[in-house]
Amino acid sequence: MTHIPNLSGFRYINTVFLAAMFFIGLVGPVYAQRAVEILDSQDQHIFTGNEIQYLEDKTGAYTINDVLSPALEGDFRNSATNTPQNYNLKSAYWFRIRIRHNPDSRKNWMLEFFDQTIDDITAYSPNGKGGYSSRSMGDQLPFKNREYSHKNFELNISNSGEYDGTYYFRVKSHQTADAIIVLRSVNRFIKYALDEYFIFGIFYGMVLVFSFYNLMMYLAVRQVQYLYYVLYNLCVGLFEMCIDGVAYQYLWPNAPEWNQYAYGVALFGVSIFALQFTRTLLYTHRKAPALDRFIVWVMVLRTAFFLICLIFNTDWFSYKFVELIPLAVAFYSGIHIYRQGYHPARFFVLGYTFLSIGFIHKLLLMLHVEGLNFGVVTYYSLSICFVLEMIFLSFAIGDKVRVLKTKKDKVQKQMIHQMRLNEKLKDSLNVRLEAQVEARTKEVVEKSAIIEAQNQELTEVNALLEQQKEEILQMNLLLEKDNEVLHTNVVKVTQARVMSTEVDFEEFSRIYPDTDSCFRFLASMKWTSSDHECRKCGHDHYFHGHSPYSRRCSKCDYDESVIAHTIFQNTRIPINKAFYMVFLIYTTKGKISSHKLSEILSIRQGTCWAYASRIKKVMHDRRKEIAASKSGEGWSLLVLDHSLEPA
């Protein structure tokens, strides 16, 4: 008879097995986390791998009670990397670790977060009785709120009972943060902190020494490259202080808002002054103009990105990979200029090689490339590369100074050589000139003797000439007296001839060629030096008036022009032509026609006719006076028209 197995029992066993596997799968992740035991033999322990678990809170609304609830307790996952991060910056992350407390330990213990750039950390510590106490940390809080005056975030733990305690940490940050949690004794922390701050002192001391030295060089030689290097070093130091948390501790402990993006401002200064230093050190504007223009455009774009971040969203400063562009441009510039044969660029290239290695190493760590984490060296790799870069850039500046000094020495040697040649040439020329001067001096002495003899003869001749000069002066005095008498007689004769109509028109024109001669003649006819009486007040003292040859009364200021009360008053004909017209009409006894006057004087016939009629009327009115006039009065009887009123 065939045996039939009991199927109901088999189903029961299968159901129990599946339930057990489901339970193990449900609670497996919780109990898979290893608890780290507190031991006096081990001063510190860094939580890695399955020792630290995380839970992403996409809403950011989870509380400690939510996290402790069975619904979320099983959602914690082991970290896939040794150093978990907040991969999604919009989410809050919960991290938990387990510590096996040991009350027999004789040391005080603490937990420390290495990444001091985390904005907000809320730590929940178990009290051994099923409850939790909380403490807030982070660089968005004033520095004085920290439990220890240290750049990192520390939390004391209670070790009074023996139990396995689970610690929870809620982390929220605007930039990528590393959840590096370390369990260490207080003694170990103090020793480590002192050593670390000592190293910081060396690093920042080197930055200040390099900066001060190059500042002195700038003040001494006034080369702007030194100033850019000083500003670059100071920005590097400030950036490192922001990253290390030292700046928040010592420079602005009460300004957490500024601390959130101060590193971005420092990093902008690093990029700008690095590129400016590159341009001045490598002479890119002269050796590579196209590359120099490209560097300028990179600086413009970097400045635009900085302003956008500063104005719109300071969280964008966390995109530090942007600095790879200025770094790559400066690195390529050094290689390009070095290939052109500029030797100081080799140290520049070496410095930026180390800096590039540091940046690339940090970038690979951000991308979670395994195998590149070497502990403390890895954490401070960028600072080490900055130190090496500063050293090599100082070598580059020194090499540039050496090259300039070599060129200067070469130029000085050439100048000294040229000066020696000039000295020899000067000596030879001096010898030749001395010989020529000596010969010339001898010649001059001989000629001086001849000239001395001639001077003696000239002196005698001059004495004779001086005597003749005196005689000539006496003769000139006599001739001047005769000329004065002759001139007086000629004037008198000429005037007499004019008045007596014994001259023709051509001779009259030579005697009165212009307005001044006519005015002078009229003045002599109207007044004499002692014959003047003001027509208004009768005063006989006068001054020279405003117009030529006029007279102004010193008492009533009446100014009488030379043509006032003459036949020329109120006429628009030029005075010299009016003189000619009076003379022609007088000499022709009024028989000359207006057409002839117009032809001779170049005046319109109508104007000549009108003025001639006026003159003829005066002649007619004074025909008796003219007929009875004495010799010498002549046509002056027509000129002085006393019947006219002043203008």
Side-chain angles (χ1 to χ4, degrees), residues 64 176-177 224 248 255 310 331 347 381 393 429 476 544 547 593 646:
I64 185 62
T176 302
V224 72
Y248 190 36
L310 191 64
F331 195 15
F347 292 111
S381 60
L393 288 184
L429 288 175
N476 286 337
H544 292 293
S547 59
S593 67

Side-chain angles (χ1 to χ4, degrees), residues 360-365 368-375 377-378:
I360 294 172
H361 182 246
K362 282 290 186 181
L363 181 62
L364 293 177
L365 289 177
H368 306 290
V369 177
E370 297 295 335
L372 296 177
N373 197 334
F374 308 111
V377 176
T378 299

